[in-house]
Amino acid sequence: MKLPPADSELGKLMATLPRAGRVDWIGLRPKRDVVMDEVDEVVAESGGGLAGDRYSGGSGKRGVTLIQAEHLPVIAALSGHDEVRPATLRRNLVVSGIPLVALKGRRFRIGEVLLEGTDDCDPCSRMEAALGAGGYNAMRGHGGLCARIIEGGTIRRGDTVVAIAD
């Protein structure tokens, strides 16, 4: 995604993030079609993924998947549930307090790890089974963000999420 020039009005607006976010939940997908493992910390491998996740040795564009904590109640309401647990949505990190959409195409830090938002994390057809009929559409626009790991390290529950100034 190409961002507008940093000195343009739109560029200034898009770069304005009034506060840091926080990692609320961490999950790993050890294999396809198995329950996610909830963990308190995980090693992020530069150019790869998260240690213990089935995508850890991938190309890196989808090294980490993130979803907005504030969107979980929306997805629940749109899919007819009282609550949706993070593991149901199969994203690695649940982040609160910072709009993930603002990190698309930008670099950001989670604790000591440097990442770059690469693309929207669109829902897959498996959300129909996970959430019931209409689950796929309930997640559209709320699926989160994929990110590449630029500099590895450990991500911990409670770590801050901060955009890096251009």
Side-chain angles (χ1 to χ4, degrees), residues 25 27 36 65-67 86 89-93 121-123 139 143:
W25 186 88
M36 290 188 80
T65 57
L66 304 93
I67 194 163
L89 305 179
R90 306 197 60 78
R91 302 301 188 259
N92 297 122
L93 304 177
C121 193
D122 295 322
M139 279 194 70

Side-chain angles (χ1 to χ4, degrees), residues 84-148:
V84 173
R85 308 222 12 102
T88 303
L89 305 179
R90 306 197 60 78
R91 302 301 188 259
N92 297 122
L93 304 177
V94 176
V95 173
S96 63
I98 191 168
L100 289 177
V101 69
L103 301 178
K104 185 176 174 183
R106 297 185 64 177
R107 289 189 173 195
F108 59 99
R109 282 207 180 273
I110 298 181
E112 62 191 40
V113 177
L114 179 64
L115 302 113
E116 180 179 47
T118 57
D119 207 353
D120 296 325
C121 193
D122 295 322
C124 69
S125 61
R126 294 179 50 196
M127 290 300 104
E128 287 293 297
L131 298 170
Y136 174 86
N137 278 318
M139 279 194 70
R140 287 178 67 195
H142 305 290
L145 181 71
C146 296
R148 171 187 354 260

Side-chain angles (χ1 to χ4, degrees), residues 5-163:
D7 60 349
S8 71
E9 274 306 305
L10 184 56
K12 291 174 187 173
L13 288 172
M14 290 178 74
T16 302
L17 296 165
R19 63 185 178 133
R22 181 185 69 242
V23 174
D24 293 338
W25 186 88
I26 304 170
L28 302 173
R29 303 159 296 208
K31 294 182 192 174
R32 182 177 172 86
D33 295 327
V34 300
V35 176
M36 290 188 80
D37 293 331
E38 183 176 347
V39 297
D40 290 325
E41 63 181 45
V42 64
V43 174
E45 300 164 343
S46 180
L50 301 178
D53 192 75
R54 67 178 253 184
Y55 293 108
S56 64
S59 67
K61 289 179 86 171
R62 193 181 167 104
V64 180
T65 57
L66 304 93
I67 194 163
Q68 189 85 46
E70 292 84 354
H71 290 187
L72 297 179
V74 173
I75 294 167
L78 293 174
S79 62
H81 296 279
D82 292 332
E83 174 185 34
V84 173
R85 308 222 12 102
T88 303
L89 305 179
R90 306 197 60 78
R91 302 301 188 259
N92 297 122
L93 304 177
V94 176
V95 173
S96 63
I98 191 168
L100 289 177
V101 69
L103 301 178
K104 185 176 174 183
R106 297 185 64 177
R107 289 189 173 195
F108 59 99
R109 282 207 180 273
I110 298 181
E112 62 191 40
V113 177
L114 179 64
L115 302 113
E116 180 179 47
T118 57
D119 207 353
D120 296 325
C121 193
D122 295 322
C124 69
S125 61
R126 294 179 50 196
M127 290 300 104
E128 287 293 297
L131 298 170
Y136 174 86
N137 278 318
M139 279 194 70
R140 287 178 67 195
H142 305 290
L145 181 71
C146 296
R148 171 187 354 260
I149 302 167
I150 306 296
E151 293 174 7
T154 302
I155 296 174
R156 295 172 180 84
R157 188 183 312 214
D159 275 354
T160 58
V161 181
V162 185

